[in-house]
Amino acid sequence: MGTSTSTSMKRIGVVGSGIMGSGVAEVAAKSGFEVVLRSRTRDCADAMLTGLDASLARQVKKGRLEEDDAALVRGRVSAVTAVDELSACELVLESIVEDLAAKQDLFRELDRVCAPGAILATNTSTLPVVDMAMVTQRPDRVCGIHFFNPATAMSLVEVVPAITTSDATLDEARGFVAACGKTAVTVKDQAGFVVNALLFPYLNNAVRLFDAGVASRDDIDTAMKGGCNFPMGPLELLDLVGLDTSLAILDALYAEFRDANFAPAPLLRRMVAAERLGRKSGAGFYDYQR
Ligand SMILES: NC(=O)c1ccc[n+]([C@@H]2O[C@H](COP(=O)([O-])OP(=O)(O)OC[C@H]3O[C@@H](n4cnc5c(N)ncnc54)[C@H](O)[C@@H]3O)[C@@H](O)[C@H]2O)c1
């Protein structure tokens, strides 16, 4: 278990208890931070704590974590519903729905609640960080801190300074990432940063191939695993990311670059309309037992 040695921060906030919020909360707590996780409803907050308990229990069972350490990690996480309870956090990372208006509303609220020196960060995959910075009174203290899915397993984090972000904020954000045991790369505030700008045309084109009947779902995934040595096929990966989030990412990339490679495959939009969102909804390109 890590300790937060490369930063003076002790308490961080995470907003949103979906796939990414839950993962980041676990990573930060295992790295020694006190974590205040904010969900909109008590049910979601409780579900996040139940999920954390289950994840820690699995790691203890597999011998990857001592029982005492699991208890320490669990003791560091509190789940709240009021944004005001984030007021003592030195850094707050939002991980809510990939929707600019929703994120801007949240940044206004965080700006009101958090100490003036606190860093407000976004886990956005594609949205302009500057558009969140500029709704606050502290655009120099806002940046992107983009974890990957699953946050507990993936080593990379993209740190994204907006053009308003100060050098001190960037350094502190990178210190937080290092303290979480992750590798930071610094990337300009441009849609998709590095990883998604390269990954999403590929995922999008896999949906087009599938829709055109060029190969079956299983054969497309088998081809990319066997032919490129990728651990997952593109359709499996879309299900893991979430088709709604993937659609939002492609829409944002297309809005920024107007490049046809980013224009979402029509099938993707239809699947989201049908609420086939991937693993999180129980069905996407594949079916999952809930
Ligand atoms: N899924 C991925 O692979 C991945 C990877 C890296 C970053 N991200 C980014 O992380 C963020 C969250 O993605 P996720 O995959 O965890 O999504 P998710 O659908 O699992 O969770 C989204 C959370 O946002 C909450 N929410 C929805 N509307 C809201 C609103 N108006 N105000 C406050 N909360 C609201 C939901 O209740 C849910 O808890 C997005 O910005 C996404 O782009 C996702």
Side-chain angles (χ1 to χ4, degrees):
M1 239 189 2
T3 48
S4 51
T5 47
S6 48
T7 175
S8 59
M9 284 181 222
K10 293 196 166 31
R11 179 176 302 198
I12 69 138
V14 175
V15 185
S17 53
I19 300 172
M20 293 308 294
S22 309
V24 171
E26 180 174 336
V27 168
K30 282 179 86 176
S31 306
F33 294 98
E34 297 290 323
V35 178
V36 184
L37 182 96
R38 190 264 172 169
S39 295
R40 286 177 301 173
T41 65
R42 194 62 248 166
D43 280 356
C44 286
D46 291 341
M48 185 271 161
L49 292 177
T50 306
L52 176 63
D53 286 338
S55 171
L56 295 174
R58 272 196 304 277
Q59 292 166 57
V60 171
K61 201 171 164 196
K62 287 182 182 163
R64 292 186 190 153
L65 191 66
E66 295 296 325
E67 203 149 350
D68 289 356
D69 286 337
L72 277 177
V73 172
R74 180 61 184 78
R76 291 189 192 118
V77 181
S78 56
V80 305
T81 55
V83 174
D84 288 33
E85 299 208 44
L86 298 165
S87 61
C89 295
E90 294 145 290
L91 179 152
V92 177
L93 177 62
E94 73 75 23
S95 224
I96 68 164
V97 65
E98 185 75 338
D99 176 272
L100 183 58
K103 288 187 190 290
Q104 285 177 320
D105 285 347
L106 178 62
F107 269 85
R108 282 187 198 96
E109 238 184 314
L110 292 174
D111 192 39
R112 176 182 60 77
V113 163
C114 297
I119 294 179
L120 306 182
T122 173
N123 197 17
T124 184
S125 304
T126 37
L127 298 170
V129 178
V130 70
D131 286 349
M132 290 167 243
M134 290 307 289
V135 301
T136 73
Q137 302 301 309
R138 62 182 89 192
D140 58 318
R141 296 297 279 165
V142 175
C143 68
I145 301 182
H146 183 222
F147 281 81
F148 288 81
N149 182 15
T152 47
M154 302 298 280
S155 62
L156 184 75
V157 175
E158 291 174 320
V159 180
V160 184
I163 54 174
T164 54
T165 306
S166 69
D167 290 347
T169 301
L170 176 60
D171 284 350
E172 288 166 53
R174 288 185 60 103
F176 165 68
V177 170
C180 287
K182 305 290 185 189
T183 303
V185 291
T186 302
V187 191
K188 209 167 105 175
D189 179 19
Q190 173 177 297
F193 314 130
V194 170
V195 173
N196 286 337
L198 294 174
L199 177 65
F200 269 84
Y202 154 70
L203 296 179
N204 198 29
N205 280 316
V207 180
R208 289 180 184 152
L209 283 188
F210 171 65
D211 199 22
V214 172
S216 69
R217 170 196 77 182
D218 291 358
D219 282 354
I220 290 172
D221 280 346
T222 301
M224 294 313 291
K225 284 187 278 193
C228 290
N229 222 7
F230 288 174
M232 298 180 87
L235 302 176
E236 287 174 289
L237 182 53
L238 281 161
D239 275 359
L240 176 75
V241 170
L243 302 194
D244 53 341
T245 302
S246 298
L247 179 62
I249 289 170
L250 282 162
D251 276 333
L253 283 162
Y254 186 69
E256 181 116 314
F257 299 111
R258 302 285 162 187
D259 176 333
N261 269 310
F262 295 128
L267 176 62
L268 187 61
R269 200 177 294 285
R270 297 297 178 276
M271 289 177 74
V272 172
E275 295 175 6
R276 292 178 66 95
L277 306 182
R279 285 192 194 188
K280 66 183 167 189
S281 72
F285 289 99
Y286 293 81
D287 286 321
Y288 303 89
Q289 290 200 328
R290 304 210 72 184

